[in-house]
Amino acid sequence: MTTAAAELLAAFRSYLISLEDPAARDFAAAIDWTMPARALEPAGLSCLGHLDRAVSLAPIAERPLVEMLARHRNEWRWGQTYASADFGQHFMDNYGWVELFGTRGHFANDRIAAGFLLLGPDITYPDHHHIAEELYVPLTGGTGWRKGEGGFVARASGEIIHHPSNVSHAMRTGAEPLVALYVWRDGPLAQKSTIGRGG
Ligand SMILES: [Fe+2]
């Protein structure tokens, strides 16, 4: 029987290996895709309503992945790393992620973690950094991304955004929500990010 999680993993793999970018290829090659499924109790979040708009925003290459994420939204274990004391309640109401694989994800992997980040419209995810090296691929466009000391740059869907270890980064949505794919490696895979610039 093919589970929704197995379908999502297959779609995630197809998408990641389709990206013609050295960093994406390097991350994809480092993943052992034969990972055991982990039975997780589903958990929802208030931000999940933004998934429907994200599906309609996603271009043709990204849409199957976003559509699958949205269609099975009630089967995923959505989580939040922060609390309202970090970035406020409005942020918490419009932010969430699901780990597809990793130390806590729907598939067990203790070397690399990956999943999806969801942000609602008009949300700033302030500067933060972490030990793990990170690859982000926005699946919807129009969000501003900042890396290191630079300003916010609008990133299209399908762009590759690479954050080396401990380099701070921030995201800022405009009128539309964001769904982005992420991959983490070479660091504590369940670390709460350190808030603020630095690194
Ligand atoms: Fe990050």
Side-chain angles (χ1 to χ4, degrees):
M1 190 188 79
T2 305
T3 63
E7 263 183 68
L8 187 62
L9 181 64
F12 181 100
R13 178 187 187 179
S14 298
Y15 182 75
L16 189 64
I17 65 177
S18 77
L19 299 170
E20 293 178 4
D21 172 89
R25 281 212 193 92
D26 193 48
F27 270 79
I31 298 168
D32 176 357
W33 296 96
T34 59
M35 33 190 141
R38 182 186 276 137
L40 293 181
E41 203 59 44
L45 287 174
S46 62
C47 63
L48 300 189
H50 297 302
L51 282 168
D52 298 307
R53 179 64 184 154
V55 171
S56 61
L57 292 169
I60 203 154
E62 287 74 24
R63 188 168 293 182
L65 205 44
V66 182
E67 197 277 329
M68 206 175 291
L69 186 69
R71 178 157 36 99
H72 297 286
R73 73 189 72 181
N74 295 328
E75 297 174 54
W76 315 132
R77 186 172 185 82
W78 293 91
Q80 296 180 316
T81 314
Y82 304 103
S84 55
D86 293 316
F87 303 137
Q89 190 57 42
H90 182 64
F91 180 87
M92 297 304 288
D93 291 341
N94 288 279
Y95 144 85
W97 47 258
V98 55
E99 187 174 287
L100 179 57
F101 58 87
T103 56
R104 308 167 284 183
H106 288 269
F107 292 87
N109 194 318
D110 59 11
R111 299 192 57 228
I112 298 195
F116 302 90
L117 170 73
L118 171 62
L119 292 180
D122 298 314
I123 290 296
T124 297
Y125 186 164
D127 288 301
H128 59 285
H129 54 97
H130 40 75
I131 296 165
E133 176 191 8
E134 177 178 60
L135 186 82
Y136 259 117
V137 186
L139 303 177
T140 58
T143 296
W145 295 71
R146 175 162 70 192
K147 176 167 145 181
E149 297 302 308
F152 282 98
V153 176
R155 299 286 200 168
S157 54
E159 279 197 57
I160 311 297
I161 301 163
H162 180 227
H163 298 140
S165 175
N166 276 327
V167 170
S168 70
H169 44 282
M171 300 79 133
R172 187 172 66 193
T173 56
E176 301 287 7
L178 165 75
V179 171
L181 163 168
Y182 71 83
V183 189
W184 272 36
R185 70 173 182 190
D186 295 338
L189 297 180
Q191 183 198 10
K192 180 182 175 184
S193 296
T194 306
I195 296 167
R197 295 192 131 179

